[in-house]
């Protein structure tokens, strides 16, 4: 329902102009018992008063939405998928901009909503167009290419990619590494990972500050909720086994035995996940990003902006709006850092394919340290927050659980669609399970 709403119409310049003026003037278009309500704030109104006619450009690169920019200042997203409930992207963006004044996300400018007798359907949202130099993914791919150059320029016999310092919840700081390792990893990538950790923590703190919005009021964990988490994770384990049986013959030959060995450890996987309801956790759930990875981080030069609060595209809007532990966002960003490392090495033109396999431990090393810089900055910024457990044991357990859950989801996806990439979630799962 709702696929392609107003998409074709946007390609005419007159309608592009009409839309922005309707929003600036807060117009209402009646249609029988329903109406389309346009909203635009003072930023949009002031610009149109000063500029008169504006230049519009359709962005064909957008997959999830039809997108139009105006004067390189505003960015209109027309949602291709709609639902008869609140759109989380519009809701969270408006909340962070207007209620909390969070500075590290594109400023909310206005919206288009179809209002019926009983429901409101979001058709589109206007935001500030953030000047940027690309997203976190493209930036880190470039840094990995630099990293590979440094590896190739050194005597690899002296490098030890398997000798890693720090752990998931007790990571080492960049400045605590020896100077040779700092030079190898790269200070720019390390600083960007640290900054993403700080801004992620600040985003979660903002989402935990509910103000007058009941839909953003934090909720306590309960044993009932924790048992339901484990139940959903059990279903995920069953689904992963089914995917393994379907796709075992599609896996690269060198990974089949290793993946099968993992699935022989079903009891270990279940036991590790079961810890989520060993006792009631003294933490709260909040609204989170819900689909947090490097492509949703825009680099502005001096800072960054977090975008796209649509949530998991595989879930209904009502599910995406549920409150969850922000450690889920942390887990997905860690997986994103591991994926970019893996893909950066596989896509490099600096190494012959035959030699590439011997370099893959360096990809794991880069992902380990960058994830550590991210997590360390995050935990230092959110210390004493209600949504992070006070005890280190509970923190270890929760982050490992959400990491394992995310990795199992990715394992299913890779088994079904990209068997050559199954190594990324495989390595994450192996690192979490007991030796």
């Amino acid at each position: 329902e709702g696929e392609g709403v107003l998409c074709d119409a946007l390609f005419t310049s007159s309608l592009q102009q009409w839309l922005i003026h309707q929003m600036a003037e807060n117009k209402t278009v009646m249609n029988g018992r329903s109406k389309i309500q346009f909203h635009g704030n003072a930023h949009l109104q002031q610009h149109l008063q000063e500029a008169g006619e504006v230049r519009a450009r359709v962005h064909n690169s957008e997959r999830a939405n039809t997108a139009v920019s105006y004067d390189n200042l505003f960015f209109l997203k027309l949602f291709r998928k709609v639902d008869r409930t609140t759109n989380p992207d519009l809701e969270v963006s408006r909340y962070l901009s207007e209620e909390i004044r969070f500075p590290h996300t594109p400023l909310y400018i206005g919206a288009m909503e179809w209002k019926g007798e009983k429901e409101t359907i979001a058709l589109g949202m206007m935001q500030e167009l953030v000047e940027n130099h690309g997203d976190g993914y493209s930036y880190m791919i470039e840094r990995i290419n630099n990293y590979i150059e440094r590896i190739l320029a050194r005597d690899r016999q002296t490098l030890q990619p398997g000798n890693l310092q720090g752990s998931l919840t007790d990571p080492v700081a960049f400045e605590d590494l020896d100077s040779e390792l700092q030079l190898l990893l790269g200070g720019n990538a390390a600083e960007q990972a640290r900054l993403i950790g700080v801004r992620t923590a600040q985003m979660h703190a903002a989402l935990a500050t509910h103000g007058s919005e009941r839909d953003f009021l934090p909720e306590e964990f309960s044993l009932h909720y924790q048992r339901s988490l484990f139940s959903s994770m059990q279903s995920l384990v069953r689904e992963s086994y089914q995917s393994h049986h379907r796709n075992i013959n599609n896996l690269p030959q060198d990974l089949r035995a290793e993946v099968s060995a993992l699935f022989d450890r079903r009891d270990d996987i279940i036991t590790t996940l079961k810890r989520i309801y060993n006792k009631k956790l003294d933490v709260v759930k909040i609204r989170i990003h819900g689909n947090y990875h490097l492509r949703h981080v825009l680099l502005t030069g001096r800072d960054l902006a977090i975008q796209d609060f649509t949530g998991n595209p595989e879930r209904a809007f009502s599910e995406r709006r549920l409150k969850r532990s922000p450690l889920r966002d942390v887990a997905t960003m860690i997986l994103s850092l591991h994926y970019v490392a893996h893909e950066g090495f596989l896509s490099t033109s600096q190494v012959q394919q035959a030699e590439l396999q011997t370099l893959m431990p360096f990809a794991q090393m880069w992902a380990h340290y960058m994830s550590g810089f991210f997590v360390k900055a995050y935990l230092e910024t959110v210390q004493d927050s209600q949504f992070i457990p006070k005890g280190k044991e509970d923190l270890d357990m929760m982050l490992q659980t959400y990491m394992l859950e995310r990795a199992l989801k990715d394992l299913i996806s890779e088994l079904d669609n990209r068997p050559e990439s199954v190594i990324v979630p495989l390595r994450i799962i192996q690192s979490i399970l007991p030796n």
Side-chain angles (χ1 to χ4, degrees):
E1 180 182 44
E3 285 292 322
V5 172
L6 292 178
C7 292
D8 293 337
L10 275 177
F11 287 93
T12 65
S13 59
S14 60
L15 279 172
Q16 294 164 18
Q17 297 291 332
W18 182 80
L19 284 171
I20 192 171
H21 282 88
Q22 296 297 301
M23 295 178 76
E25 297 170 21
N26 288 286
K27 288 292 187 67
T28 298
V29 177
M30 300 302 300
N31 180 24
R33 295 183 178 179
S34 65
K35 61 184 178 182
I36 297 179
Q37 181 72 58
F38 295 86
H39 308 276
N41 66 15
H43 295 278
L44 181 61
Q45 293 158 8
Q46 181 179 350
H47 179 71
L48 285 187
Q49 287 172 3
E50 294 174 354
E53 196 74 3
V54 294
R55 297 185 310 277
R57 183 167 72 91
V58 176
H59 291 252
N60 296 321
S61 60
E62 284 286 309
R63 295 180 181 178
N65 310 294
T66 296
V68 185
S69 63
Y70 293 92
D71 286 350
N72 289 323
L73 292 174
F74 307 114
F75 190 76
L76 174 63
K77 292 195 285 189
L78 288 182
F79 303 125
R80 288 183 182 160
K81 183 174 183 180
V82 299
D83 202 345
R84 295 178 183 275
T85 187
T86 304
N87 182 297
D89 192 15
L90 192 159
E91 178 187 27
V92 175
S93 297
R94 180 162 53 193
Y95 170 76
L96 287 175
S97 286
E98 296 189 340
E99 184 81 14
I100 304 300
R101 311 288 184 186
F102 181 63
H104 303 294
T105 191
L107 184 67
Y108 170 83
I109 299 297
M112 298 167 48
E113 295 177 303
W114 187 351
K115 299 196 172 187
E117 293 182 315
K118 294 183 179 179
E119 70 274 319
T120 297
I121 299 175
L123 300 178
M125 173 174 61
M126 183 89 81
Q127 289 178 289
E128 164 196 29
L129 181 61
V130 176
E131 286 191 30
N132 65 84
H133 305 292
D135 58 33
Y137 180 88
S138 60
Y139 179 86
M140 288 302 190
I141 284 287
E142 291 177 7
R143 301 291 76 73
I144 289 168
N145 279 324
N146 300 148
Y147 172 59
I148 293 172
E149 288 175 5
R150 292 191 292 272
I151 293 170
L152 297 177
R154 283 167 168 76
D155 178 3
R156 268 175 275 164
Q157 299 299 322
T158 65
L159 302 176
Q160 296 180 310
N163 187 18
L164 304 176
Q165 302 173 47
S167 64
L168 189 62
T169 54
D170 191 17
V172 63
F174 179 73
E175 55 270 21
D176 291 335
L177 299 175
D178 66 66
S179 58
E180 279 299 310
L181 186 51
Q182 289 181 4
L183 286 171
L184 184 65
L185 292 170
N188 289 336
E191 172 55 23
Q192 198 61 60
R194 185 203 66 80
L195 183 59
I196 293 172
V198 172
R199 298 293 180 245
T200 303
Q202 292 170 342
M203 172 187 70
H204 287 151
L207 290 169
T209 308
H210 60 90
S212 61
E213 296 278 351
R214 288 189 56 82
D215 288 331
F216 289 84
L217 182 68
E219 297 174 358
E220 288 191 7
F221 269 54
S222 67
L223 277 175
H224 175 75
Y225 172 70
Q226 291 166 224
R227 288 192 188 97
S228 71
L229 283 177
F230 174 64
S231 179
S232 68
M233 292 173 188
Q234 275 185 304
S235 299
L236 193 61
V237 173
R238 286 194 295 271
E239 188 180 348
S240 69
Y241 274 78
Q242 293 164 2
S243 180
H244 173 241
H245 290 311
R246 284 196 309 270
N247 298 294
I248 182 65
N249 293 327
N250 297 329
L251 285 169
Q253 192 68 42
D254 60 330
L255 282 177
R256 290 184 190 180
E258 198 171 351
V259 172
S260 294
L262 173 68
F263 281 100
D264 287 340
R265 301 188 63 187
R266 180 172 186 151
D267 288 346
D268 287 337
I269 295 172
I270 293 293
T271 299
T272 301
L273 292 171
K274 191 180 289 186
R275 297 179 302 166
I276 196 65
Y277 77 94
N278 279 350
K279 66 173 185 178
K280 182 184 177 301
L281 294 167
D282 186 21
V283 289
V284 297
K285 302 175 286 179
I286 63 171
R287 296 293 293 272
I288 64 172
H289 187 283
N291 189 25
Y292 195 49
H293 51 73
L294 287 168
R295 292 190 188 275
H296 287 156
V297 175
L298 297 177
L299 308 187
T300 63
R302 295 182 177 179
D303 214 309
L304 58 83
I306 299 167
Q307 64 169 348
D308 196 348
F309 292 86
T310 306
N312 187 339
E314 298 174 2
R315 298 179 183 270
F317 281 7
S318 56
E319 263 194 283
R320 302 183 207 181
R321 298 179 67 233
L322 294 176
K323 289 155 189 164
R324 306 177 190 275
S325 169
L327 290 175
R328 285 181 183 268
D329 281 346
V330 174
T332 57
M333 182 55 74
I334 293 171
L335 263 293
S336 186
L337 287 163
H338 280 262
Y339 268 105
V340 77
H342 177 75
E343 291 163 13
F345 270 74
L346 289 183
S347 64
T348 184
S349 59
Q350 303 178 64
V351 183
Q352 295 293 327
Q353 197 66 32
E355 189 186 8
L356 187 59
Q357 201 58 38
T358 64
L359 289 179
M360 291 311 291
F362 288 97
Q364 189 68 21
M365 180 172 101
W366 186 93
H368 169 84
Y369 283 114
M370 294 302 155
S371 298
F373 306 148
F374 162 72
V375 171
K376 186 173 184 62
Y378 178 86
L379 293 177
E380 287 175 351
T381 308
V382 297
Q383 59 183 335
D384 300 325
S385 298
Q386 285 184 297
F387 50 79
I388 297 296
K390 301 294 185 288
K392 188 176 183 304
E393 185 177 331
D394 287 345
L395 175 62
D396 285 344
M397 181 277 295
M398 287 186 70
L399 188 51
Q400 288 173 5
T401 299
Y402 290 126
M403 285 282 295
L404 184 53
E405 177 191 43
R406 180 68 257 174
L408 283 168
K409 289 179 180 177
D410 285 353
L411 184 65
I412 294 167
S413 176
E414 305 303 12
L415 283 168
D416 287 341
N417 302 299
R418 299 191 310 172
E420 69 282 358
S421 294
V422 79
I423 190 169
V424 179
L426 175 65
R427 290 285 180 263
I428 292 289
I429 296 169
Q430 289 171 332
S431 71
I432 292 171
L433 295 181
N435 295 324

